[in-house]
Amino acid sequence: MSFRSYKDKIEEGDTAILYLSNNLYAIDVQPEMKNKKGELIENVYQTPFGALKVKTLIGAEYGSRVELSKGWGHVLQPTPELWSLTLPHRTQIIYTPDISMIMLQLDLVPGSIVLEAGTGSGSLTHALIRRVRPHGHVHTFDFHEHRSKVAQEEFMEHGIADFVTAKHRDVLADGFGEELNGKADAVFLDLPSPWVGVPHALAAIKDQGGRFCSFSPCIEQVQRTCLALQEYGFQEISTMEVLQTEIKVSRRTVPVRDLSFLKQKSSTSPVEEKPSSETSYVVGTWPQSTPGHTGYLTVATQPPYARSKAKKSKPENDDDKSSSENGDKMVIDETV
């Protein structure tokens, strides 16, 4: 329950983050666990610095030092950022640099209703929940039934199931559901064919307008999505790539030569080849290597009452347009 709110001490059932020499481990704080035979045994977590008896964490303060059989570490309060670094990967996940930009571009505030298509491992979902609670809600969908079920169980274990609804649904084929039409402040798509989901996003966003964002690794996906957004009346369409660069601050010593002799009209003393002094500066240096490409973020704004206007201007042959999960057939006409 440690994801629900910040607290001072660890309780049974919490998820704690163990920090060991720049490595992070997520631990379920349960004093006992079942072995392969189904028998209850003492829960002992093995680390590179020895064993940790998990029951000793109960009652300890978050941020405190914990003793291991061959060393020590620190136990931290879980956050969406730390969880994204320790969660079990069921799919490729979105990391903090992209997540922070998504939060900004979707204009989310506490109380917002946001729809997410592509639950995956739940990395972004945890961040969305933290942003919209306590009065907002996240509706997340995944076409893979097992992933959706595991995600829902994970949200319950973390104590945040009140703020999220996880469902098994193929959004590209079936949309978000009639019950969510006109209910969302923002829509996020992490799907192989986000352009197919644009009309479903249009139907889900409120009449007062809202924001749209999609995550795509390939520029061809971005091109199709932008064309679909333009066709369905979205405005302020833009695409960005988030590349995090960390500048290393260090101190460097630079040799300095005394040039005071230049002030004299003539000088009989030869110039010394060696520097006469040194000066120390604080400088910033670029890293030798930078993180590579993750994906493109395409964002757009749905203006107020765009959905009703789109219905009136819907082409007669719109029924002939079909969609599929893999995007074999497009929703849009690329000749436009």
Side-chain angles (χ1 to χ4, degrees), residues 117-118 141-144 168-178 181 189 191-201 203 318-319 321-331:
F141 302 86
D142 201 292
F143 76 94
H144 194 282
H168 165 233
R169 189 183 185 91
D170 185 354
V171 171
L172 295 182
D174 305 323
F176 294 102
E178 294 184 1
N181 285 348
L189 303 181
L191 300 171
S193 308
W195 60 90
V196 180
V198 170
H200 301 312
D318 191 75
D319 293 334
K321 298 179 181 181
S322 60
S323 63
S324 65
E325 178 187 331
N326 296 323
D328 296 331
K329 297 182 180 179
M330 291 182 56
V331 177

Side-chain angles (χ1 to χ4, degrees), residues 6 11-12 27 35 62 108 117 137 152 175 178 197 253 279 300-301:
Y6 292 101
E11 300 176 0
E12 183 176 341
I27 299 178
N35 59 13
Y62 281 108
L108 298 178
H137 201 83
Q152 183 64 44
E178 294 184 1
T253 301
T279 302
T301 299

